[in-house]
Amino acid sequence: MAEQPIFEALSPHEAMRAAIAVLRSVQPQIAGMSDAETVSFAPLAEELGRLTDGVRVRTAGEIDARSDRMLDERLSAQHGCRNGIELLER
């Protein structure tokens, strides 16, 4: 079955907010799943975790790249930070 790009028309921010809302509604339902549903759900949760980790790493890398000391308009400096790491920590 091909995956449908349900968030395609949304901006990245809107898509992430929508995904968060969906996950918040799913989480309480896990306890009510059957054993078979729970076992088949686990790989989906793992895939989601890997994708989420990838988004986090990609975003952190982008912030770090845009905060490079060689740039005139460093992203970190625009937010009062010394570097990308400090910006991410805040």
Side-chain angles (χ1 to χ4, degrees):
M1 182 167 124
E3 294 181 27
Q4 297 296 319
I6 58 175
F7 299 117
E8 188 173 273
L10 302 177
S11 74
H13 283 82
E14 293 168 331
M16 290 293 275
R17 287 185 185 101
I20 289 167
V22 168
L23 289 175
R24 283 192 176 136
S25 72
V26 168
Q27 191 172 12
Q29 298 177 51
I30 296 170
M33 287 192 229
S34 70
D35 291 348
E37 288 172 322
T38 303
V39 169
S40 67
F41 188 78
L44 298 172
E46 288 301 317
E47 181 178 1
L48 179 62
R50 286 189 296 276
L51 290 169
T52 300
D53 289 345
V55 169
R56 275 196 296 249
V57 168
R58 177 75 186 263
T59 303
E62 195 64 33
I63 287 172
D64 190 53
R66 294 180 189 194
S67 298
D68 188 287
R69 293 185 187 271
M70 301 303 287
L71 298 174
D72 291 333
E73 296 290 323
R74 293 183 302 122
L75 179 60
S76 56
Q78 294 172 32
H79 292 272
C81 300
R82 293 169 298 175
N83 54 44
I85 293 170
E86 183 180 345
L87 179 55
L88 285 165
E89 287 174 348
R90 288 186 182 186

